[in-house]
Amino acid sequence: MLPVITISRQFGSGGHEVGERLARQLNVPFYDKALIAMAAKQSGLSEEVFAHADEKATSSLLYSMVMGNYSFGARVPGINEMPINDKLFIIQSDIIKKAAAEGPCVVIGRCADYILREHPNCLNVFIHANKESRVRRSIEKKDCEERKATDFVTKKDKQRANYYNFYSNKRWDDLQNYDISIDTSRFSIDDTVDLLLDAARKLDR
């Protein structure tokens, strides 16, 4: 059976595009920001509120200190009293686990590799690239103004790292968390997709 593929990615590395193409070629579901809409629907809260909190660690330091390392990825008492970031993480965790239980899929970011750490058939991928190529891609995609691009990419990476580190208690850039790491400043997006297709099909065999 094909694996569930989780993709963590540096900002501007093309990881989202890799995931989209991979899901299309494998003909499996693709989960990214769609999880926000699903989480909002499940909770009855505003999608805009969840979108603002997406892939950001809670800003409530006091709440974190009081709660300590509580069990993210599983339902815990008092979810309605949690900061919105934590609530979103827990609801998304449930959605990701249910999606993986239904069969192969591709999940972008959102600590999916950690959330699915007990899943028997995952391929965990980290997509990265050198800073220059990531800044260039961000400018080409109009993610930010050219003069602010370098700082913007750095800020987005820090945000993703903080989110992952906070909710998993692991380091986002620790390659021991992943099965495959690919540098898209060395390999094209097409080549990266081909490499991952080959890896997924090998696990399927």
Side-chain angles (χ1 to χ4, degrees):
M1 186 177 183
L2 286 168
V4 172
I5 301 172
T6 72
I7 298 180
S8 297
R9 73 284 182 227
Q10 288 184 321
F11 191 84
S13 65
H16 188 276
E17 185 179 354
V18 167
E20 280 187 307
R21 293 194 192 183
L22 195 57
R24 195 160 54 242
Q25 296 233 29
L26 292 172
N27 194 29
V28 299
F30 176 71
Y31 297 97
D32 59 347
K33 286 187 179 295
L35 287 166
I36 299 171
M38 296 168 73
K41 183 177 180 181
Q42 184 169 316
S43 69
L45 295 174
S46 162
E47 187 173 334
E48 288 73 23
V49 170
F50 271 166
H52 183 70
D54 187 39
E55 288 200 294
K56 297 184 181 76
T58 180
S59 58
S60 173
L61 178 60
L62 177 60
Y63 184 85
S64 304
M65 290 171 65
V66 169
M67 293 301 287
N69 292 325
Y70 58 92
S71 303
F72 284 112
R75 290 208 171 275
V76 295
I79 188 170
N80 290 329
E81 288 73 46
M82 287 182 177
I84 193 70
N85 310 65
D86 298 343
K87 189 180 296 186
L88 175 59
F89 180 83
I90 288 178
I91 295 171
Q92 284 190 346
S93 295
D94 285 346
I95 294 169
I96 288 169
K97 286 179 178 179
K98 287 174 185 174
E102 289 172 2
C105 57
V106 176
V107 187
I108 298 290
R110 292 154 187 86
C111 294
D113 61 289
Y114 175 75
I115 291 165
L116 298 176
R117 62 194 179 279
E118 295 179 1
H119 191 281
N121 190 22
C122 279
L123 176 63
N124 299 318
V125 180
F126 188 75
I127 304 292
H128 60 103
N130 63 40
K131 191 70 165 284
E132 182 183 352
S133 67
R134 294 191 293 120
V135 168
R136 186 170 60 250
R137 183 179 277 116
S138 297
I139 293 170
E140 289 170 355
K141 293 189 68 177
K142 297 184 171 24
D143 290 324
C144 56
E145 296 177 37
E146 185 170 351
R147 64 188 178 86
K148 297 180 180 178
T150 300
D151 288 342
F152 184 78
V153 168
T154 299
K155 180 181 177 182
K156 295 296 284 186
D157 275 352
K158 188 173 291 186
Q159 177 184 306
R160 288 178 179 176
N162 288 342
Y163 176 85
Y164 186 95
N165 299 351
F166 180 83
Y167 287 111
S168 72
N169 205 25
K170 293 184 176 184
R171 285 186 56 85
W172 177 64
D173 56 359
D174 184 351
L175 297 185
Q176 292 187 74
N177 299 329
Y178 310 102
D179 303 305
I180 295 177
S181 170
I182 300 179
D183 183 346
T184 51
S185 53
R186 300 284 309 277
F187 297 93
S188 70
I189 297 296
D190 285 340
D191 288 341
T192 300
V193 172
D194 287 343
L195 287 167
L196 294 176
L197 281 171
D198 187 51
R201 286 166 178 160
K202 279 182 165 58
L203 287 179
D204 188 27
R205 290 200 298 268

